[in-house]
Amino acid sequence: MSHLPERKEKNCLNCGATLTDRYCQHCGQENLEPKESFWHLLSHFLEDLTHFDGKLFSTLKYLLFRPGFLTKEYINGRRASYLNPIRMYLFISAIYFLLMMSILPYQANKVIDQLNTPNKTKTKTVTLNDNVHITRKILDSLDTKTIASPKEFEPKTLAQYDSLQKTLALKDRDNGFERSLARKMFLLKDRSKTEGKKRMVELMMEKFAHSLPYLLFISVPLIALLFQLIYIRHKEFFYVSNIIFTLHYYCLYFLASAITLVLSTIGNFARPFSFLISFMSYAYLYIAMLNFYGQGWFKTLLKYFFILIFAFIIVGILFAVDLLFSVWTLA
């Protein structure tokens, strides 16, 4: 309840309903004088912030140490004591992606170092979310190859390609998609020569990282659909139940990924800790499935591997499409 004085008028300023109490029975707004001081505005902000923090920390405690518990509580209607799963997902994912963007220049420099390393060495390319390694193949191909052509003459520039297409019979010319792809590749090759590999890698990683939050959010209903399929005989679990379960797991995974992201900047000695945290995040999913869905350990284990395999396929396809789109928009 606010400390502002209550209005004498008995009409709701928000929806216009006639009031019978301090709070509107239709929209729930408190019937207060609309004018407030700066100090009241500040105190109201601090109250909301501490209330949010209190819920966040208590919710995180259950998220970390009681896999599947929060989803059970939500499905059973006990929700006021915990942070809303969508709100928690947005908050934790925002923190994670802000952290990732701050570490991105460091990761980009490591990728560039690998790009400058001769291919015959056995150094491993440092990747961003296991997809930036494709950068090397793309950029190397731009330096060493021309656009593939079944014709005797292989054009090395966009002008040569356009000239060649005009000399061919209509039936022998590339179709619209092939021409668009070839033009993009020539433009990308020219830009790579003009701006250099370093700038190209930075731009592509930035584009990929900026679209990553949307990509992962799109994957949530798809992963939830997998859970719906494998538990289709259990009528007590609705599709929304699986979405909530997936959101809670994503929150845990973002927290684990944030820690491993920070450890990646420390040095090679932190790799065992990163591996341990990653392993625990995957083991967490199995325990959460046991606790929430309530099946035996063997059936849950089979369904766990099914989820992992197809989830990796779904996310891998989304990542590949996003990465190719990032490269496409560079030209």
Side-chain angles (χ1 to χ4, degrees), residues 230-281:
I230 62 176
Y231 290 104
I232 194 169
R233 296 175 61 186
H234 297 259
K235 303 302 181 182
E236 67 272 25
F237 300 123
F238 300 99
Y239 182 55
V240 173
S241 309
N242 298 308
I243 288 180
I244 300 302
F245 180 85
T246 306
L247 284 172
H248 281 143
Y249 177 69
Y250 267 46
C251 290
L252 184 281
Y253 189 79
F254 281 139
L255 291 174
S257 298
I259 296 173
T260 56
L261 198 60
V262 173
L263 291 176
S264 69
T265 65
I266 297 176
N268 292 335
F269 70 90
R271 285 186 178 179
F273 298 101
S274 298
F275 175 79
L276 178 61
I277 293 171
S278 297
F279 173 79
M280 291 175 64
S281 68

Side-chain angles (χ1 to χ4, degrees), residues 89 93 97 100 208-218 254:
Y89 171 87
S93 63
F97 288 114
M100 187 180 71
F208 180 76
H210 278 106
S211 58
L212 195 58
Y214 306 102
L215 181 148
L216 290 176
F217 192 74
I218 291 172
F254 281 139

Side-chain angles (χ1 to χ4, degrees), residues 18 47 58 62 65 81 103 158 192 236 247 292 317 324:
T18 302
E47 286 177 5
S58 62
Y62 291 113
F65 301 110
S81 300
I103 297 177
L158 180 57
S192 179
E236 67 272 25
L247 284 172
F292 178 65
I317 291 173
L324 291 174

